[in-house]
Amino acid sequence: MKYRSIPKPSKTTLPEIKQSPTSQASQTKVQPPKLSSSRLSRQSSSIESTAQFSQTEQFKKRELSRPKANHREMSEYLRRQTIQNTKSFVYNSQDEHIKRNLLKHNWIEAPLLSPYFDLKWVYTEDQDEIKVLTEGQYYNHFKNTKELTTKQCLLDNFKNQSQYGFDTSDFFPRAYDLGNLTDREDFIKEYEKNTIFIILKKVIKYLKKVRKDQYKEIKQEIIQKFKQKSEKKRIQAKKMRWQVQRKYKKIYYIGLIESKTQQVDLKFDLQLMCELLGKLSDYKRQLADGYFDDKNFELSNKQTLNQRFQFFQYSQVDKFNKGQTPNKLLLSKLVGYHQFFQLKDVAYLSDGVQNIWIIKPSGCARGQGIYLEKDIGEAISSGMKISARLIQKYIERPLLYQNYKFDLRQWVLVKSFQPLQAYVFSHCYMRMCSQKYDLQDTKNLLRHLTNFSLNKTAFENQADSIYSSDYLEEFLASKNISWQNTIRPQINDIIVKTLLIVQDQFDGESKYCFELFGFDIMLDYQCKPWLLEVNLSPACTERASWLSEMLNQMTESMMNIIIGDEFKQPDKYKYELLINEDIPPQVKDNNLQVDGYRCNLKTEQRYDKAFYRKFATLTIQKFFRMFLAQNQLRFLSRTKYSIVIQKYWRGKLARNKLLRLLKNRDAIIIQKIVRGYIAKRRKYHRKRYLMATKIQCAIRMKQAKQLKNNLKKEYSTLILQSLLRMIKAKQQARQLQQHYNKIVRIQRVWRHRYFKINNKAILIQKHIKRIQQRKRYLLLLLKIRCSIKIQSIWRMYKAVKQKKFLKTEFSALILQCLIKRRKRQIDLKLMKINDGLFKIDKVFCSYKPKLFLRKAFNLGILRVKAIERIQGYRLVIKSKRFLKRLKRLKRLIKLQATVRMHIQRQKYRKIVKRLKAAKKLIKSIRRYIFKKKILKRIQQKRMIANYKLQQQLQQAPQRPKPRMIAKKK
C-alpha cells in the first residue's frame, strides 16, 4: 500500500474519520514505515528490521480495515457549514473541463485524501481506493484497465480470445512481441510473406505497364473459370457434405513455366518464381481452408537462409528485364493469386510496397520510444534487448488530408463491463501531423506520428494540430463517401468487438465505477478503419474554441449518464448508446416469457475450450487414419515387385551361408580352447575379488566407529553452544532493559525542558501582543482626536455660513410679506375705484369720464406687474447662490471621505504586516515542535522493538537436558 504526503488543512475541510480509542492508542505506538524508514535503515540491526517488518504488516491491516465514509457525517458537516443539499468531488487530473462543469453546478471540491465525496476524478487508477467505495460514490476507473490500455495486454487478449471468434486481423494491424521466441518466429514468417506479396504486386504493376492487353485477357479467363467452379461446387455440395478431400501441393519446375519464344520486354528469375508459386499456394490454402496441410507445410518450409535472402533482395527490384521469359501459365497463376488476395486478404492493398514496420515499447505513451524500421535484422536485435517491445505492421497507404497524415480520436464511455454498457461520443476529432507525408523519409517522425507532444513545437498555431470531424465529413462527401452510413458504423463495430473481447478481464467490478477511453483509429486509402491503440484518461488540452465547447458538452452528457438528471443532455455534442447487454430483446407478443437463469461466462468458456479440443482431436485422427490408409495402399502396390526380387536374393544368401558354416567349424574348435583359458582366468580373479571385499568391510567398520565418536562430540558441542547462547541472550536482555530505562529518563528531562520553553514562548507572545495593542490604541487615539478637531472646525464654519444664509432668507421673507400687504392694499383701493366708476357710469353715462377712469386703471395694473417681475428676478438670484453653496459642501464631504480612506488603508496595511509576522513566528515554533515529536516517535519505535524482543526471549521454550535424552535412548 502506497503512502502519500498529507496536505495542509484548509479552512473548509471535510470532517475527519472518527476512530475508536483503541485505534488511537495504536497510532501513538505504531506509525507508518515511511516516517522512519530512511533514518532507521542506516542504524538498525537485524533485530530492528524484523520488528519493523511486523509493524508494517500491522499498519497495512489497520489501513485496510479503516472505517468507510458515512453519508450521515457528511450531511451533518454540510449542515454546520450552511451548504446543505450540495455535492462534493475529489479532483487530481489535467482535465480542467471536468472541474469547471462541476463547479458550475454548485459542487464543492474536497481534499485529495478525503473519504467524503460523491465523485472522484483521478488521472491514474488505484485498486485500494476501489475497495473502499460505498454507495453513491462514483470513481472514474476500473480495476484491470491495463488489459485494454497497454499495448502488450491488448495484443495478448486479441490472440487468446475464443468466445466470440472475431478475426482481429480485419481491424487490428498484425503485431508481435519481439521479446517472445514464438512471436519472433511468427514475425519472421510474416515478414517473408510480405516480401512475397511485394514481389507479386510489383510483377502485376509491371505486367499492366508492358502487356496491358494480355493482362486483360488473362483476367477475363480467370473470372469465367471462377464462375464455372462456383456452379460445379453448388451441384457437388450435397455429395461432398461428409467427405474430406486431401489437397497436395503442386511442385513447379522451370520447364513447366518457361516459354520457348523469347521476348525482351518481360523476364523473370524462374527458379525463384517456382518457389514463389509454392509459397503463394500455401498462403491461399491458409486463407481459403483455414489451415496448412502437414506434409505440404514441411515441404514448403524447407528453405535455406540463402533462398530467403534472395526473396528479400528480389523484392527491391522495380524493372523485370533479366532472366528467362515467362509462360502464359505463370502469368495467369500470378494474376489469379493477385485477384484472390485482393478479395480475401484485407491488409493486402493497404500494406504497400515498402514493407515498413513500426516498433513500439509496451508501457510508454505520447510517442516515446517509437520508430520505423525496414530492415528485419535491426528490428529483431532491438527486440532482443528489451523484453516488452512490440512490432506492428505500418499502414503504408493511409487516407491523407491535404497531403498530411492524420488519425481519429474517438471517446468511448463505459459504464459497466458486467453486463457491458457503453456509449460512444457523437463527434470525434482529427489529430494532424506537422509535416507532409513521405514514405521515403522514415527517420523524420513528424511526417508519420500524430502525437501532440511531438508536433506541438512544429505548429505555429496550435489550433492547426486538430480538426473537427465535420471537416472530414465534407472531405469524404467530395469523394462520394458517407461518414454516417459507411465509416461510422464500422468504427462502432470495432469498438464493440474490442470491448467484448476484453469483457471477461473486468469480472466483479463495482457498479459505481466508470471509465472514459480514447480509441485511436486510422483510415486507409480505401476509407477502411483500423484500430491503433486504446488510451486511458485521454489528454484533452483545449487548443481551439470549438474543442472547449465540445469538451464542456461532453462532460455535461457524461455526467447526465452517470449521475442523473442534475446535468442536462446537450443537443449537438452528446453520448449515444453503443451497446447495452442489460436491456432484454423486444418481443411483439406480450404472452411470451423468459425462463431460465443467467449463464456463467467462465464455465461456458471452459465448455467451449473442451469442445474445440475434442473436435480438433477428432479431425486430427480422421486425417491421420486417411494418411495411414494411403501409405498401406502404396506399400501393397510395391510388394508385388519386391517378392520376385526377394526370391532371387534369398537363394544367393543361402549359398553364402553354406560357405560361412564351413569356415565356422574351424573357428568353433579354436573358440573352445580360448574359452577354457578364459574360465581359468575368471576363477583366479573371483578369488582376488572376495579377498578385496573382506578387506573393505573391515575398513568400513573402523570408519563407522570413528563417525560414531565424532557425532557424540558434535552433539555435546551443540548442547554447550545452546547454553552459551541462552546466557548471551539474558545478558543482551539486561543491557536492553538498562538502555530502555536510560531513554525513559532522557525523555522525561527533555519533556520537562520542552514544557518550560513552551511556557516561556507563550509568555513572550502575550507580552508582544500587549505592546502591539498599546501602540495600535495610541495611534488610533491620535487619529480620532485629529479627526474630531477637523470635524468641530468644519461644523463651526458651517454654522456661521448657515446663520448668514438664514439672515438673508429672513430679510427676503419680510420683504415678500410687505410687498404682498402693499399689493392687497392696492387691490382694495382699485376695487373701491371700480365700484365708484361703475356708479359714476350709471349716473353720468358720459364718454370722457369713462376713458379717464380706464387709463388710470390700466396704469395701476402695469405697476403691479412690474413689481411682481422684480420679485421674481430676486428669487432666481437667490436660488443660484444656494446651488453654489451646495456644490462647495459636496466637495468638502468628498475631501473628508478621501482622508478617512487613506487613514483606514494605512491601518489595514499595518495590521496585515503584523499578522504575517505572527504567522511566521507560529510556523517556526510549530516546526520546532514537529521535529521534537518525530524524534520522540523514533525513540518510541526503538523502545517497542526492544520490548518485543525481550518478550520473545522470555517466552522462548527451554531445550531439554542432554543427560535425560541419553537415558531415553
Side-chain angles (χ1 to χ4, degrees):
M1 190 171 177
K2 295 180 181 178
Y3 298 95
R4 297 176 180 174
S5 61
I6 298 163
K8 294 180 181 178
S10 60
K11 291 183 180 178
T12 58
T13 53
L14 294 171
E16 295 180 354
I17 301 165
K18 292 182 181 178
Q19 293 181 350
S20 61
T22 55
S23 65
Q24 288 175 359
S26 64
Q27 277 186 357
T28 54
K29 291 180 182 178
V30 183
Q31 293 293 332
K34 193 168 181 180
L35 290 170
S36 60
S37 62
S38 61
R39 295 185 183 180
L40 290 173
S41 60
R42 297 176 184 174
Q43 300 173 0
S44 62
S45 60
S46 62
I47 298 161
E48 289 177 353
S49 65
T50 54
Q52 191 177 2
F53 180 72
S54 64
Q55 287 175 10
T56 53
E57 286 184 346
Q58 289 175 7
F59 183 76
K60 284 178 183 178
K61 288 176 184 177
R62 192 176 75 253
E63 284 293 321
L64 287 169
S65 63
R66 69 183 175 87
K68 295 181 181 180
N70 193 356
H71 283 277
R72 288 182 182 176
E73 294 177 1
M74 185 68 187
S75 63
E76 285 177 7
Y77 170 74
L78 293 170
R79 186 172 55 76
R80 287 172 191 168
Q81 297 291 329
T82 65
I83 47 172
Q84 204 170 4
N85 298 323
T86 54
K87 294 183 180 180
S88 61
F89 68 96
V90 175
Y91 174 78
N92 186 15
S93 178
Q94 297 176 355
D95 302 329
E96 291 293 331
H97 55 93
I98 301 290
K99 184 178 178 180
R100 188 168 61 241
N101 279 296
L102 289 171
L103 292 170
K104 185 181 173 183
H105 288 274
N106 297 323
W107 284 48
I108 299 168
E109 186 178 0
L112 185 61
L113 295 175
S114 174
Y116 302 102
F117 58 86
D118 293 299
L119 173 66
K120 192 162 193 174
W121 188 275
V122 191
Y123 185 68
T124 55
E125 63 172 335
D126 190 357
Q127 294 185 2
D128 295 330
E129 289 179 355
I130 295 166
K131 293 176 185 176
V132 186
L133 290 174
T134 59
E135 285 192 9
Q137 286 187 333
Y138 292 95
Y139 189 67
N140 71 322
H141 289 296
F142 291 103
K143 276 186 186 177
N144 299 323
T145 49
K146 65 177 183 180
E147 296 292 334
L148 182 60
T149 53
T150 55
K151 301 174 183 70
Q152 180 69 40
C153 295
L154 185 65
L155 178 62
D156 293 337
N157 287 317
F158 279 166
K159 285 181 180 177
N160 298 327
Q161 59 98 11
S162 60
Q163 182 182 358
Y164 299 102
F166 296 135
D167 188 6
T168 55
S169 63
D170 290 342
F171 60 88
F172 187 69
R174 287 97 65 206
Y176 304 96
D177 183 9
L178 292 173
N180 193 359
L181 183 64
T182 54
D183 276 12
R184 209 182 302 141
E185 290 174 356
D186 292 338
F187 164 63
I188 291 163
K189 289 174 185 175
E190 188 66 31
Y191 191 87
E192 187 181 359
K193 180 182 173 181
N194 283 327
T195 52
I196 289 161
F197 282 165
I198 286 162
I199 293 164
L200 180 63
K201 287 173 195 173
K202 285 186 175 180
V203 166
I204 298 296
K205 189 178 178 182
Y206 195 75
L207 182 66
K208 286 179 185 177
K209 188 179 177 181
V210 177
R211 300 181 184 178
K212 195 173 183 180
D213 298 330
Q214 191 178 4
Y215 174 75
K216 286 179 180 178
E217 289 176 4
I218 292 164
K219 195 174 180 181
Q220 287 176 359
E221 287 175 1
I222 289 162
I223 291 162
Q224 288 176 359
K225 285 180 183 178
F226 180 74
K227 287 178 181 178
Q228 289 173 3
K229 281 182 181 179
S230 62
E231 287 176 359
K232 286 181 182 179
K233 282 180 181 178
R234 286 173 189 171
I235 294 161
Q236 295 176 359
K238 293 179 181 179
K239 295 179 182 179
M240 300 293 290
R241 188 177 289 174
W242 302 107
Q243 291 182 8
V244 179
Q245 283 187 346
R246 189 175 180 82
K247 296 178 183 178
Y248 291 97
K249 189 173 77 172
K250 290 182 181 179
I251 297 165
Y252 296 95
Y253 53 92
I254 297 168
L256 190 67
I257 297 165
E258 189 178 6
S259 68
K260 295 177 182 179
T261 59
Q262 292 187 356
Q263 292 180 0
V264 182
D265 57 351
L266 192 67
K267 288 184 179 181
F268 298 126
D269 186 358
L270 294 180
Q271 184 64 39
L272 197 134
M273 282 290 165
C274 294
E275 295 168 3
L276 188 133
L277 288 170
K279 285 279 187 184
L280 289 170
S281 66
D282 289 335
Y283 298 146
K284 184 179 177 181
R285 194 180 299 111
Q286 187 182 13
L287 283 169
D289 301 334
Y291 66 93
F292 277 122
D293 191 79
D294 295 337
K295 192 171 181 180
N296 295 338
F297 187 74
E298 287 175 5
L299 287 168
S300 64
N301 273 338
K302 286 179 181 177
Q303 299 277 351
T304 58
L305 291 169
N306 190 14
Q307 288 173 345
R308 188 174 283 170
F309 179 72
Q310 283 178 1
F311 275 126
F312 298 154
Q313 209 169 19
Y314 202 68
S315 65
Q316 296 175 1
V317 177
D318 292 326
K319 291 182 179 181
F320 299 95
N321 297 326
K322 295 178 182 179
Q324 298 89 8
T325 53
N327 197 358
K328 190 179 179 181
L329 190 142
L330 175 62
L331 296 175
S332 62
K333 285 280 181 187
L334 292 171
V335 173
Y337 284 132
H338 178 67
Q339 287 185 345
F340 176 79
F341 290 125
Q342 273 184 337
L343 293 170
K344 295 288 183 181
D345 196 355
V346 180
Y348 179 72
L349 293 171
S350 63
D351 282 346
V353 184
Q354 296 289 332
N355 204 359
I356 298 168
W357 293 76
I358 186 165
I359 297 169
K360 304 176 182 178
S362 179
C364 295
R366 297 181 180 178
Q368 294 176 358
I370 298 173
Y371 61 94
L372 304 176
E373 193 60 60
K374 290 182 184 179
D375 191 6
I376 188 171
E378 290 182 4
I380 291 165
S381 64
S382 67
M384 294 281 282
K385 292 174 186 176
I386 301 168
S387 59
R389 187 173 277 271
L390 299 176
I391 189 162
Q392 194 174 28
K393 186 68 185 74
Y394 185 67
I395 298 167
E396 296 176 16
R397 300 178 72 185
L399 184 68
L400 302 176
Y401 183 75
Q402 296 176 0
N403 295 325
Y404 287 93
K405 188 183 173 184
F406 69 92
D407 65 354
L408 301 174
R409 172 63 62 85
Q410 180 67 57
W411 292 321
V412 177
L413 175 66
V414 179
K415 197 175 179 182
S416 69
F417 276 97
Q418 299 292 343
L420 185 61
Q421 190 175 358
Y423 297 85
V424 67
F425 195 59
S426 60
H427 288 69
C428 59
Y429 63 89
M430 302 159 61
R431 300 192 304 168
M432 304 296 295
C433 287
S434 57
Q435 295 184 13
K436 289 186 177 181
Y437 183 68
D438 187 9
L439 268 177
Q440 301 301 324
D441 187 8
T442 55
K443 300 293 180 184
N444 188 3
L445 295 176
L446 298 177
R447 297 180 187 273
H448 303 280
L449 298 182
T450 59
N451 300 86
F452 180 66
S453 57
L454 293 173
N455 291 299
K456 63 183 177 182
T457 55
F459 283 109
E460 293 179 0
N461 186 10
Q462 290 187 358
D464 295 334
S465 62
I466 52 169
Y467 289 104
S468 176
S469 58
D470 297 331
Y471 290 98
L472 182 63
E473 194 170 353
E474 290 175 2
F475 176 66
L476 293 170
S478 64
K479 295 186 175 184
N480 295 324
I481 297 166
S482 176
W483 164 259
Q484 294 293 337
N485 296 328
T486 58
I487 295 167
R488 189 62 189 266
Q490 291 178 11
I491 292 168
N492 291 341
D493 187 34
I494 289 165
I495 293 163
V496 169
K497 284 178 181 177
T498 52
L499 292 173
L500 286 170
I501 287 164
V502 188
Q503 185 183 9
D504 296 334
Q505 303 297 332
F506 294 88
D507 194 8
E509 294 290 343
S510 175
K511 65 179 180 179
Y512 294 107
C513 291
F514 65 96
E515 189 74 55
L516 179 64
F517 295 108
F519 280 73
D520 288 344
I521 290 161
M522 184 172 282
L523 301 174
D524 61 4
Y525 80 105
Q526 291 180 334
C527 295
K528 188 189 181 306
W530 294 87
L531 177 66
L532 299 180
E533 61 182 359
V534 184
N535 295 298
L536 174 72
S537 298
C540 305
T541 53
E542 298 177 11
R543 303 190 287 273
S545 60
W546 62 267
L547 183 61
S548 59
E549 184 187 352
M550 188 166 77
L551 287 167
N552 289 329
Q553 294 189 13
M554 185 267 283
T555 51
E556 193 78 20
S557 177
M558 180 172 65
M559 293 302 167
N560 183 15
I561 291 162
I562 292 156
I563 292 166
D565 295 331
E566 184 182 349
F567 297 86
K568 293 181 180 179
Q569 188 72 260
D571 296 329
K572 187 178 180 183
Y573 302 110
K574 60 183 178 180
Y575 279 100
E576 297 170 354
L577 183 65
L578 185 64
I579 184 171
N580 190 359
E581 291 181 345
D582 202 8
I583 297 169
Q586 294 181 358
V587 183
K588 291 182 180 179
D589 193 0
N590 295 322
N591 296 323
L592 293 174
Q593 292 180 356
V594 179
D595 294 330
Y597 59 92
R598 187 179 176 182
C599 65
N600 192 357
L601 291 172
K602 289 185 177 178
T603 54
E604 291 293 330
Q605 284 176 0
R606 287 174 195 164
Y607 293 148
D608 289 339
K609 284 179 182 177
F611 173 74
Y612 286 135
R613 284 173 187 168
K614 286 180 182 179
F615 184 72
T617 51
L618 289 169
T619 51
I620 290 159
Q621 286 173 3
K622 194 185 285 184
F623 281 107
F624 187 69
R625 283 168 188 163
M626 288 171 71
F627 177 72
L628 290 173
Q630 286 178 358
N631 283 333
Q632 282 179 358
L633 286 168
R634 287 173 189 168
F635 177 73
L636 290 168
S637 63
R638 288 171 185 170
T639 50
K640 291 178 182 178
Y641 301 105
S642 61
I643 287 162
V644 177
I645 295 161
Q646 281 176 3
K647 283 180 181 179
Y648 174 74
W649 280 104
R650 280 171 186 167
K652 197 172 182 180
L653 288 167
R655 288 170 195 165
N656 289 326
K657 274 185 180 180
L658 284 169
L659 293 169
R660 284 173 190 170
L661 287 167
L662 291 169
K663 290 177 182 178
N664 285 334
R665 284 180 185 177
D666 299 328
I668 288 161
I669 295 162
I670 294 160
Q671 282 177 359
K672 283 180 181 179
I673 296 162
V674 172
R675 282 171 184 166
Y677 177 74
I678 289 163
K680 288 176 183 178
R681 294 290 295 173
R682 280 182 180 175
K683 283 181 182 179
Y684 176 71
H685 285 298
R686 278 179 186 173
K687 285 179 182 179
R688 291 190 73 182
Y689 179 71
L690 289 167
M691 288 293 288
T693 51
K694 285 177 183 178
I695 292 159
Q696 283 177 357
C697 287
I699 291 161
R700 283 172 184 168
M701 285 291 286
K702 284 181 181 179
Q703 286 177 354
K705 286 176 183 178
Q706 286 177 359
L707 277 168
K708 194 175 181 181
N709 293 323
N710 289 327
L711 287 167
K712 284 180 181 179
K713 288 176 183 178
E714 284 178 0
Y715 185 69
S716 60
T717 53
L718 286 167
I719 292 160
L720 286 166
Q721 283 177 0
S722 64
L723 291 168
L724 288 167
R725 282 172 186 165
M726 287 290 287
I727 292 158
K728 281 182 181 178
K730 286 177 182 179
Q731 287 176 358
Q732 282 180 357
R734 286 172 191 168
Q735 287 174 2
L736 288 167
Q737 187 67 36
Q738 289 173 1
H739 185 64
Y740 176 72
N741 292 327
K742 285 177 184 178
I743 287 160
V744 170
R745 287 171 192 166
I746 291 158
Q747 282 179 352
R748 284 174 187 169
V749 173
W750 278 103
R751 278 176 191 165
H752 186 65
R753 192 175 177 184
Y754 168 70
F755 282 123
K756 280 183 179 180
I757 292 160
N758 197 5
N759 291 325
K760 285 177 183 179
I762 289 159
L763 289 168
I764 289 157
Q765 283 179 357
K766 285 179 181 178
H767 186 66
I768 289 160
K769 283 176 183 177
R770 284 173 189 169
I771 291 159
Q772 287 175 355
Q773 285 173 0
R774 282 176 188 172
K775 285 180 181 179
R776 285 177 199 164
Y777 181 69
L778 290 168
L779 288 165
L780 285 167
L781 278 172
L782 286 168
K783 288 169 185 176
I784 288 159
R785 284 172 186 171
C786 293
S787 62
I788 288 160
K789 282 179 182 179
I790 290 157
Q791 284 175 1
S792 64
I793 291 157
W794 177 251
R795 283 168 188 166
M796 287 289 287
Y797 177 74
K798 201 173 180 183
V800 171
K801 288 279 184 183
Q802 276 183 351
K803 279 180 183 180
K804 289 178 181 179
F805 177 70
L806 287 167
K807 282 179 183 178
T808 53
E809 281 187 349
F810 186 70
S811 61
L813 287 166
I814 289 161
L815 282 166
Q816 283 176 2
C817 290
L818 291 168
I819 289 158
K820 282 176 183 178
R821 275 183 189 179
R822 184 70 179 164
K823 195 177 177 183
R824 281 174 189 172
Q825 288 174 4
I826 291 160
D827 288 333
L828 287 168
K829 284 178 181 180
L830 289 168
M831 286 289 286
K832 286 176 181 180
I833 291 159
N834 285 324
D835 290 331
L837 288 167
F838 183 71
K839 287 175 182 180
I840 291 160
D841 286 330
K842 279 181 179 181
V843 175
F844 295 101
C845 294
S846 61
Y847 179 71
K848 286 182 179 180
K850 281 181 183 178
L851 286 172
F852 178 74
L853 289 169
R854 279 178 188 173
K855 283 180 183 178
F857 180 73
N858 288 327
L859 284 167
I861 289 163
L862 289 168
R863 283 174 187 172
V864 171
K865 284 182 179 179
I867 291 159
E868 284 178 352
R869 282 178 190 170
I870 291 157
Q871 286 177 356
Y873 287 133
R874 287 185 74 187
L875 288 168
V876 168
I877 291 157
K878 284 179 183 179
S879 62
K880 285 180 179 178
R881 288 174 185 173
F882 183 71
L883 287 168
K884 286 178 182 178
R885 286 170 189 171
L886 283 172
K887 286 178 182 178
R888 286 172 190 170
L889 284 168
K890 285 179 182 178
R891 286 172 188 171
L892 288 167
I893 289 157
K894 284 180 182 178
L895 266 171
Q896 281 182 350
T898 51
V899 170
R900 284 172 187 170
M901 285 291 288
H902 180 69
I903 291 158
Q904 285 175 358
R905 280 176 188 168
Q906 285 180 350
K907 285 180 190 176
Y908 180 72
R909 283 171 185 170
K910 286 178 182 178
I911 290 159
V912 168
K913 284 179 182 178
R914 286 166 189 168
L915 286 169
K916 283 181 180 177
K919 282 181 182 177
K920 284 181 182 178
L921 254 173
I922 291 157
K923 276 185 183 178
S924 60
I925 291 159
R926 281 178 181 169
R927 282 176 189 167
Y928 177 75
I929 293 160
F930 185 66
K931 286 178 182 177
K932 291 286 181 183
K933 282 183 182 177
I934 288 164
L935 290 167
K936 280 183 186 179
R937 286 177 186 174
I938 292 160
Q939 288 174 2
Q940 283 176 4
K941 282 186 180 182
R942 288 179 182 172
M943 287 167 69
I944 289 158
N946 295 327
Y947 179 69
K948 284 184 179 179
L949 198 141
Q950 285 179 10
Q951 284 184 351
Q952 287 176 5
L953 291 170
Q954 286 174 6
Q955 291 176 4
Q958 293 181 357
R959 294 186 180 180
K961 293 180 181 180
R963 291 179 184 176
M964 295 296 288
I965 293 160
K967 283 179 183 179
K968 284 179 183 179
K969 284 180 181 179

